[in-house]
């Protein structure tokens, strides 16, 4: 995209000729271009605005509020000097070249569902690229591929595909973005048969640090294709289109069960057996299991799904889930549902503060899972202690997300992904702590306590010889070493790919806020 450079030079000349500013945007390469009185980000927005008219969203404008809407309050209270809302891939390319050649710090937002501050937003020192206008959805004539822009949310895609009897491997909730979820991995209702979302991308269209637009697929830039499957997009480039593998899909079976928490020692062994036996023996089945601490005490939830149930009668419980049918539940609502309705069933409200952390342990011991529960109770007590007598809501969750061996097998298609997992690692269970709260004064206490909890889980699992250590990017806190957890081989390979496609490490320096390779 040399064109952008030409336009940019012309612009700078014009600005200089008018005597408006001589210091802005002149820097080429790292660290330059920041004069004493210079405001790098504001000048960056000026340049972007001149080159991409109508695509810069300024703080005063009404649509700034739309772009600055994030799921976690900790992100929406960050305010960039401007947003850029590119309307097509060429605009992303032009923007990328301006940002990297002028050393302008930036962040990138797809659905904005990162929990921690600045995960997909940046302060006044930079620009946030909001991909929301890249929202095309296009089904190929042979119905095998759906090309989607990263501005889409999962419900946008399912509401297009449901009427066609098609589906893709994507998120389980309506509102998260296609971009972050797919690039980080992507646990789906369909993962038992097809692996994670990243394993079902046929091709990525990517804008590299240079502004060049490339395709990454098993036959074109195959190393980049591998690295984008759960790897380090924020070191590699901005994905402007995902070509997702699609398949014929009818209604799913779903059941949401709530139990009294005193049943934990009955239910945890059922969940653990499901992870080791039930799920691999019936790959259409999917589940997660956990605890929520309400003001009245803990409740247990078990969400159960089947992608191709043998009967259309919702009361016909798939065999894998039968053991749960014998346990008295507070709520049980088996149903047949299209994907869009399912995605809307577990929406999570905006406006609260959010944190999550996770680590994988071996799925072979119900006792380990059982003994993690008191560690979570201690975590809850620490947080409630910090709150004291003040009336403010804190809602802690402990979720077990299984990675059974059938999913690990399915991840190996087309050269495998970057996560560094194979069948021998499994079965695994991701131990995920997530907390929702409202009072910013509690931020430090919640963060500290969550880290202590995770540490306690790691220590216990290690003591039992049941530690694995994989950290799932999409549920990780910014302090966690996600890429290190993929193993030395995967990490080294990822770094090599990043060096090849961004030799000057521009994205390592300038793309702020998420997980980096160095
Ligand atoms: C309510 C809820 C439900 C969830 N359900 C699931 C689930 O079912 N399965 C699952 O696996 N995870 C799930 N998650 C976790 C989810 O995958 C992550 O929060 C994910 O990061 C969300 O993607 P996003 O695009 O909304 O986030 P964003 O915060 O917009 O992006 C996350 C990161 O990806 C980068 N990024 C985004 N788009 C691009 C792009 N096009 N090119 C390059 N980089 C990009 C961003 O810069 C940022 O670093 C859920 C989260 C929430 C809050
Ligand atoms: C620099 O940018 C920030 C954020 O937009 C703004 O608040 C500040 O006033 C700017 N400073 C100057 C000198 O323009
Ligand atoms: C996409 O989904 C979001 C939320 O899930 C919704 O607000 C928006 O209207 C949808 N966009 C389109 C074009 O359907
Ligand atoms: C999905 O299910 C909902 C609720 O039953 C229904 O209103 C909607 O029309 C369905 N959509 C499709 C495409 O079948
Ligand atoms: C788990 O079950 C045991 C035995 O029924 C009970 O003592 C304990 O309080 C339960 N834990 C929680 C968090 O409810
Ligand atoms: C474990 O799961 C298998 C397969 O679903 C099932 O046959 C068996 O009865 C289960 N065992 C227990 C103790 O629940
Ligand atoms: C609790 O309330 C007291 C008195 O209003 C206040 O001083 C303190 O900062 C509050 N603490 C938290 C964690 O909200």
């Amino acid at each position: 995209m040399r064109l952008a450079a030409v336009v940019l030079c012309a612009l700078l000349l014009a600005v200089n000729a008018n005597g408006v500013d001589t210091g802005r945007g002149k820097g080429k390469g790292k660290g330059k271009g920041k004069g004493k009185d210079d405001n790098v980000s504001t000048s960056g927005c000026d340049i972007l605005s001149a080159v991409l008219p109508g695509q810069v969203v300024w703080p005063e404008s009404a649509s700034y509020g739309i772009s600055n809407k994030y799921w976690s309050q900790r992100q929406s209270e960050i305010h960039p000097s401007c947003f850029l809302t590119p309307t097509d891939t060429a605009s992303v390319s032009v923007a990328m070249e301006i940002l990297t050649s002028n050393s302008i710090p930036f962040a990138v937002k797809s659905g904005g569902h990162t929990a921690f501050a600045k995960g997909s937003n940046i302060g006044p020192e930079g620009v946030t690229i909001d991909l929301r206008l890249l929202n095309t959805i296009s089904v190929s004539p042979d119905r095998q591929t759906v090309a989607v822009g990263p501005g889409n949310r999962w419900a946008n895609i399912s509401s297009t595909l449901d009427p066609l009897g098609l589906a893709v491997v994507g998120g389980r909730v309506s509102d998260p973005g296609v971009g972050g979820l797919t690039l980080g991995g992507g646990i789906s209702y369909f993962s038992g048969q097809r692996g994670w979302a990243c394993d079902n991308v046929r091709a990525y269209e990517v804008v590299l640090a240079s502004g060049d637009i490339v395709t990454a697929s098993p036959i074109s830039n195959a190393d980049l294709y591998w690295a984008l499957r759960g790897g380090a997009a924020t070191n590699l480039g901005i994905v402007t289109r995902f070509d997702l593998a699609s398949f014929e899909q009818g209604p799913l079976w779903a059941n949401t069960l709530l139990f009294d928490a005193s049943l934990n020692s009955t239910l945890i062994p059922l969940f653990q057996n499901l992870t080791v036996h039930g799920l691999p023996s019936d790959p259409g089945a999917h589940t997660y299991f956990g605890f929520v601490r309400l003001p009245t005490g803990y409740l247990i939830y078990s969400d159960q799904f089947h992608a191709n149930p043998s009967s259309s009668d919702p009361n016909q419980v798939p065999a894998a889930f039968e053991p749960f049918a014998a346990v008295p539940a507070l709520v049980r609502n088996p149903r047949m549902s299209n994907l869009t309705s399912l995605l809307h069933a577990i929406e999570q409200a905006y406006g609260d503060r959010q944190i999550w952390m996770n680590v994988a342990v071996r799925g072979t011991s119900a006792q380990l899972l059982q003994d993690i529960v008191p560690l979570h109770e201690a975590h809850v007590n620490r947080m409630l202690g910090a709150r004291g007598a003040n009336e403010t809501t804190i809602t802690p969750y402990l979720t077990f997300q299984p990675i059974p061996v059938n999913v690990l097998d399915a991840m190996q298609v087309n050269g495998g992904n970057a996560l560094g997992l194979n069948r021998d690692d499994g079965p695994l269970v991701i131990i995920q702590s997530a907390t929702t709260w409202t009072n910013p004064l509690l931020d430090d206490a919640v963060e500290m306590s969550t880290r202590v909890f995770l540490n306690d889980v790691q220590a216990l699992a290690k003591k039992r010889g049941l530690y694995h250590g994989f950290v799932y990017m999409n549920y990780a806190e910014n302090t966690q070493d996600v890429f290190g957890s993929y193993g030395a081989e995967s990490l080294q390979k990822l770094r090599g790919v990043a060096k090849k496609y961004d030799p000057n490490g521009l994205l390592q320096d300038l793309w702020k806020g998420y997980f980096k390779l160095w």
Side-chain angles (χ1 to χ4, degrees):
M1 290 306 296
R2 296 300 110 188
L3 179 62
V6 174
V7 174
L8 181 55
C9 280
L11 168 75
L12 289 171
L13 286 174
V15 170
N16 292 347
N18 289 334
V20 176
D21 186 333
T22 51
R24 289 181 170 187
K26 265 199 288 190
K28 296 275 168 190
K30 288 185 213 171
K32 293 191 206 129
K34 295 192 189 185
K36 189 158 58 84
D37 306 318
D38 207 16
N39 197 334
V40 167
S41 59
T42 307
S43 65
C45 295
D46 285 340
I47 299 168
L48 290 168
S49 168
V51 179
L52 298 169
Q55 301 192 22
V56 167
V57 178
W58 298 97
E60 309 77 46
S61 73
S63 46
Y64 190 91
I66 300 173
S67 285
N68 216 77
K69 191 170 175 241
Y70 287 80
W71 172 65
S72 170
Q73 188 63 23
R74 300 166 85 201
Q75 285 232 78
S76 50
E77 61 195 26
I78 308 292
H79 295 96
S81 57
C82 65
F83 283 93
L84 180 77
T85 51
T87 49
D88 54 19
T89 301
S91 301
V92 175
S93 161
V94 169
M96 182 69 108
E97 196 179 0
I98 291 172
L99 294 168
T100 54
S101 62
N102 290 277
S103 298
I104 299 164
F106 67 98
V108 176
K109 176 195 184 193
S110 166
H113 276 64
T114 301
F116 51 84
K118 299 191 175 182
S120 44
N121 202 1
I122 194 168
E125 69 278 12
V127 175
T128 299
I129 302 177
D130 177 0
L131 300 170
R132 72 179 142 92
L133 299 183
L134 299 184
N135 62 355
T136 53
I137 301 173
S138 147
V139 181
S140 69
D142 67 2
R143 294 165 59 92
Q144 304 283 304
T145 309
V146 181
V148 301
N152 285 296
R153 313 301 178 99
W154 291 105
N156 300 134
I157 296 173
S158 68
S159 57
T160 303
L161 298 187
D162 278 355
L164 302 175
L166 291 174
V168 296
V169 179
R172 295 170 292 186
V173 183
S174 56
D175 206 39
V178 167
L181 186 136
T182 307
L183 290 165
I187 305 177
S188 164
Y189 296 122
F190 306 113
S191 290
Q193 289 151 317
R194 302 170 192 274
W196 285 6
C198 67
D199 304 313
N200 294 275
V201 181
R202 294 191 193 279
Y204 303 83
E205 180 187 73
V206 195
V207 174
L208 302 175
S210 58
D212 289 345
I213 302 165
V214 302
T215 297
S217 76
I219 53 164
S220 168
N221 299 306
D223 49 0
L224 181 60
Y225 173 74
W226 172 85
L228 287 168
R229 287 174 62 182
T234 60
N235 278 87
L236 299 168
I238 299 177
V239 176
T240 46
R241 202 188 68 231
F242 295 83
D243 294 348
L244 305 174
S246 46
F247 48 88
E248 307 291 323
Q249 179 64 47
L252 292 86
W253 179 85
N255 197 359
T256 305
L257 298 92
L258 289 179
F259 299 95
D260 195 289
S262 63
L263 292 170
N264 66 75
S265 51
T266 304
L267 292 165
I268 286 176
L270 296 185
F271 165 77
Q272 191 266 335
N273 187 48
L274 199 51
T275 301
V276 179
H277 299 294
L279 297 176
S281 69
D282 186 1
H286 178 80
T287 195
Y288 53 89
F289 176 92
F291 295 75
V292 55
R293 173 59 159 78
L294 300 172
T296 46
Y298 275 100
L299 273 185
I300 292 178
Y301 50 89
S302 170
D303 282 80
Q304 309 178 349
F305 308 91
H306 203 289
N308 5 67
S310 56
S311 159
S312 58
D313 172 8
N315 293 311
Q316 193 71 47
V317 174
F321 299 118
E322 252 169 35
F324 288 82
V327 184
L330 303 171
V331 171
R332 208 186 279 280
N333 66 341
R335 59 206 191 273
M336 300 299 296
S337 172
N338 61 44
L339 187 55
T340 304
S341 298
L342 260 195
L343 297 181
H344 284 295
I346 47 171
E347 276 172 337
Q348 307 265 312
Y350 277 57
D352 292 327
R353 313 182 79 74
Q354 308 284 350
I355 190 173
W356 52 43
M357 274 184 104
N358 79 93
V359 72
V361 301
R362 308 276 172 195
T364 46
S365 166
Q367 191 60 51
L368 174 64
L369 301 179
Q370 186 76 59
D371 293 341
I372 285 171
V373 179
L375 301 180
H376 192 262
E377 292 182 86
H379 166 47
V380 169
N381 290 334
R382 282 191 299 272
M383 293 192 290
L384 296 182
R387 180 181 71 174
N390 294 8
E391 284 198 27
T392 169
T393 310
I394 305 180
T395 310
Y397 297 82
L398 168 64
T399 308
F400 299 154
Q401 306 227 30
I403 315 182
V405 291
N406 51 304
V407 172
L408 295 169
D409 283 346
M411 286 182 179
Q412 312 308 322
V413 295
N414 287 324
N417 61 36
L419 305 174
L421 300 174
N422 59 55
R423 173 175 263 261
D424 299 337
D425 292 286
L428 297 172
V429 176
I430 295 173
I431 310 297
Q432 181 194 3
S433 162
T435 299
T436 296
W437 75 105
T438 50
N439 184 344
L441 293 173
L442 289 172
D443 285 7
D444 288 347
V446 172
E447 276 177 22
M448 292 303 291
S449 182
T450 303
R451 290 174 199 152
V452 170
F453 168 72
L454 205 85
N455 220 49
D456 290 348
V457 170
Q458 288 173 316
L460 181 67
K462 282 178 183 167
K463 199 169 89 187
R464 304 264 172 94
L466 295 165
Y467 186 62
H468 183 275
F470 169 72
V471 177
Y472 178 35
M473 190 191 320
N474 284 352
Y475 298 130
E477 205 213 7
N478 52 345
T479 54
Q480 294 194 270
D481 181 12
V482 170
F483 300 126
S485 88
Y486 292 4
E489 193 187 329
S490 194
L491 178 62
Q492 196 189 0
K493 204 169 148 190
L494 279 171
R495 286 179 170 163
V497 177
K499 279 212 173 94
K500 176 174 163 190
Y501 289 91
D502 177 16
N504 297 321
L506 297 169
L507 301 183
Q508 172 72 26
D509 285 348
L510 297 172
W511 187 339
K512 306 291 184 187
Y514 212 56
F515 303 98
K516 304 306 266 193
L517 283 171
W518 285 276

